[in-house]
């Protein structure tokens, strides 16, 4: 997961207390899900937080590119899901969640064909 990118030695080397990072990031995630759930349901916040991040981590293992790529994938999934829900008259949040899952499944299939569980961006032979 993305928390693996924040190792305690690196966090301490930057001058931050490691316990704050390890407790702060999951706390912010929980606050986001609990706050967003009454507005859009429980499925959409979880799908938009987990799906694009998991998909991005299949493409790269570095924290900053994974964060940027995850944001772009989340925006793409939201716009695509909303367009599909308008076109086919489906529930918007469920359609966005399905698009997030579809992006992940396509990426997993691409990763399997390119060499197992390595990131897709790593060429064969390395």
């Amino acid at each position: 997961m993305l928390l693996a990118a924040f190792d305690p030695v690196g966090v301490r080397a930057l001058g931050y207390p490691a316990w704050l990072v390890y407790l702060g990031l999951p706390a912010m995630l929980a606050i986001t899900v609990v706050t967003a759930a009454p507005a859009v349901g429980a499925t959409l916040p979880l799908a938009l937080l987990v799906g694009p991040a998991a998909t991005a981590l299949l493409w790269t293992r570095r924290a900053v590119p994974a964060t940027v790529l995850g944001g772009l994938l989340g925006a793409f999934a939201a716009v695509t899901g909303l367009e599909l829900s308008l076109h086919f008259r489906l529930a918007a949040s469920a359609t966005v969640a399905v698009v997030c899952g579809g992006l992940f499944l396509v990426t997993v299939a691409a990763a399997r064909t390119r060499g197992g569980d390595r990131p897709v961006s790593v060429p064969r032979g390395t």
Side-chain angles (χ1 to χ4, degrees), residues 13-39:
L14 291 172
Y16 299 109
W19 66 269
L20 184 63
V21 173
Y22 278 103
L23 294 178
L25 289 175
M28 287 189 291
L29 181 67
I31 290 169
T32 302
V33 171
V34 168
T35 305

Side-chain angles (χ1 to χ4, degrees), residues 110-124:
R112 296 272 182 221
T113 60
R114 296 202 63 206
D117 62 345
R118 294 182 309 192
V120 176
S121 60
V122 175
R124 283 184 173 239

Side-chain angles (χ1 to χ4, degrees), residues 16-121:
Y16 299 109
W19 66 269
L20 184 63
V21 173
Y22 278 103
L23 294 178
L25 289 175
M28 287 189 291
L29 181 67
I31 290 169
T32 302
V33 171
V34 168
T35 305
V40 294
T43 306
L44 184 60
L46 289 174
L48 282 175
L49 287 169
V50 173
T55 304
L57 285 175
L58 288 174
W59 286 91
T60 181
R61 296 285 187 221
R62 297 178 60 213
V64 173
T67 303
V68 171
L69 183 60
L72 292 173
L73 288 171
F76 174 77
V79 170
T80 305
L82 288 175
E83 287 294 326
L84 288 172
S85 71
L86 285 173
H87 188 321
F88 294 109
R89 297 181 185 219
L90 300 169
S93 62
T95 308
V96 172
V98 167
V99 171
C100 284
L103 285 173
F104 179 74
L105 291 177
V106 166
T107 302
V108 167
R112 296 272 182 221
T113 60
R114 296 202 63 206
D117 62 345
R118 294 182 309 192
V120 176
S121 60

